[in-house]
Amino acid sequence: MHSNRRKFIRQVTALGSTSLLLPQWACNVPTTTETPQEPEVETPGTPSLAAFGLQLYTLRDILPDDPKGIIKQVADMGYKQIESYEGDMGMFWGMSNTEFKAYMDDLGLDCVASHCNVEENFEEKAAQAAEIGMKYLICPWIGPQDSIEGFKEWTDKFNAYGEICKKNGIRFAYHNHGYSFKEIDGVIPQAYMMDNSDPELVDFELDMYWVVTAQADISSYLKKYPNRFSLCHIKDRLKDAEPEEREASTDLGTGSIDYPQILKVAADNGMQYYILEQERYDNSTPLDSAKVGAEYLSKLVFA
């Protein structure tokens, strides 16, 4: 990742700037004359993200009507990556995997990953994803479990899915919700899954909104498990939301989550893909909210 670079420009008059470079006698001004100077001005920092993506689930209400047209608008907003999901039209939205890849290439987009139903035809999906250069297949949901035993069973499945992905030259990851950060049987399921899955086979996609909503600390998990969170979902939380309120996402940059600070910690601990996902819309349409997010991420400077 690019580090946070800040530049300071001293604004002076032309004569004053010359006096900073030459001895005073060469400036052709009386030695008693002081050149007025403006105070130092901090210029905007350089954006920290070279590329960022959009989870297409953000556009779930409109995407099925015109997948190609909608995704083209995503590219026009400045997104360079997308993360797909498996809807009624499949991961490739009515196209074959190679047709989908060709269209993404035409738009200058990289489909880095997709959420999918891991319990159906997973080997076929892994092969299709690998054929077009995707990096990840992701399990988006397992649901709350009745006991820690349920999470243990899923952890074993994750290792098996990771083996399938590895054979195909891609990676497997699990995307969290809030339930995996809530203690059950004296154990935090998210920690259990990370401690007991094989790092050679299983990565994790950190949905930062759901960590905050579960009242856990994002930075602590990033630091405790460096290089295990390779992808993240970025979405904001309403500033006035009650702690127990679950459905409180808002347009990126307008909420309470300190992304300049958190994403710096993420970058320092192995994060590779930064993906916006929107679950509710402050603006008039999903595309409007996606555009707000793109504008925020394009100017983001790590704290």
Side-chain angles (χ1 to χ4, degrees):
M1 289 300 306
H2 301 292
S3 60
N4 182 15
R5 300 187 293 270
R6 297 184 180 275
K7 299 178 181 178
F8 293 92
I9 300 174
R10 186 180 300 278
Q11 296 181 334
V12 295
T13 63
L15 183 60
S17 62
T18 304
S19 70
L20 296 176
L21 303 175
L22 301 176
Q24 197 165 30
W25 56 263
C27 295
N28 195 30
V29 293
T31 59
T32 57
T33 301
E34 295 185 1
T35 304
Q37 296 180 343
E38 298 290 335
E40 289 184 339
V41 177
E42 185 178 349
T43 60
T46 301
S48 301
L49 295 179
F52 51 86
L54 180 71
Q55 164 53 253
L56 294 182
Y57 186 74
T58 300
L59 309 173
R60 59 196 176 277
D61 294 338
I62 57 175
L63 186 62
D65 296 333
D66 181 17
K68 285 188 173 182
I70 296 298
I71 296 173
K72 182 181 186 306
Q73 292 184 65
V74 169
D76 291 343
M77 292 176 191
Y79 290 99
K80 299 299 182 184
Q81 300 165 344
I82 61 166
E83 181 181 79
S84 189
Y85 72 98
E86 186 179 6
D88 292 339
M89 300 175 72
M91 294 189 296
F92 308 115
W93 295 96
M95 294 170 262
S96 71
N97 61 332
T98 53
E99 290 171 339
F100 184 77
K101 164 68 171 172
Y103 188 62
M104 295 305 102
D105 287 347
D106 288 345
L107 297 179
L109 289 171
D110 181 13
C111 183
V112 298
S114 183
H115 287 194
C116 70
N117 181 350
V118 296
E119 298 190 277
E120 292 183 3
N121 304 318
F122 189 72
E123 293 197 29
E124 178 183 357
K125 292 169 187 175
Q128 291 174 337
E131 184 181 8
I132 62 172
M134 286 169 55
K135 310 299 189 298
Y136 281 89
L137 283 182
I138 300 170
C139 174
W141 172 267
I142 61 175
Q145 304 294 301
D146 293 333
S147 69
I148 196 62
E149 290 301 320
F151 288 102
K152 290 179 180 180
E153 291 175 7
W154 273 105
T155 303
D156 291 340
K157 290 181 182 180
F158 290 168
N159 287 327
Y161 297 141
E163 286 277 11
I164 293 170
C165 285
K166 184 177 181 179
K167 284 192 301 184
N168 284 277
I170 62 173
R171 298 284 295 175
F172 172 79
Y174 166 68
H175 163 274
N176 68 269
H177 285 78
Y179 56 77
S180 64
F181 291 87
K182 296 293 187 180
E183 184 177 303
I184 183 171
D185 296 339
V187 179
I188 301 296
Q190 185 73 28
Y192 178 89
M193 291 186 289
M194 300 192 76
D195 291 338
N196 291 278
S197 56
D198 186 343
E200 296 298 315
L201 302 174
V202 180
D203 291 338
F204 290 83
E205 180 172 58
L206 187 65
D207 190 305
M208 297 185 174
Y209 170 87
W210 286 114
V211 180
V212 172
T213 299
Q215 301 179 55
D217 184 72
I218 298 172
S219 294
S220 294
Y221 274 89
L222 288 164
K223 292 174 182 177
K224 183 177 180 180
Y225 297 101
N227 302 311
R228 294 301 304 279
F229 294 107
S230 298
L231 316 93
C232 63
H233 275 185
I234 302 169
K235 54 177 173 277
D236 225 333
R237 183 171 169 83
L238 287 166
K239 290 180 179 179
D240 58 354
E242 295 295 330
E244 64 276 6
E245 188 174 352
R246 296 178 69 255
E247 306 300 333
S249 63
T250 188
D251 282 351
L252 189 58
T254 68
S256 61
I257 301 178
D258 185 359
Y259 276 115
Q261 185 274 328
I262 289 170
L263 294 187
K264 173 63 165 62
V265 176
D268 289 343
N269 287 277
M271 190 66 67
Q272 299 178 46
Y273 300 104
Y274 303 80
I275 301 165
L276 180 141
E277 183 185 45
Q278 193 79 9
E279 294 192 2
R280 59 178 293 278
Y281 313 112
D282 292 347
N283 286 283
S284 57
T285 71
L287 283 168
D288 289 338
S289 285
K291 185 176 181 181
V292 169
E295 291 172 349
Y296 176 86
L297 291 170
S298 70
K299 299 173 184 176
L300 179 73
V301 177
F302 292 163

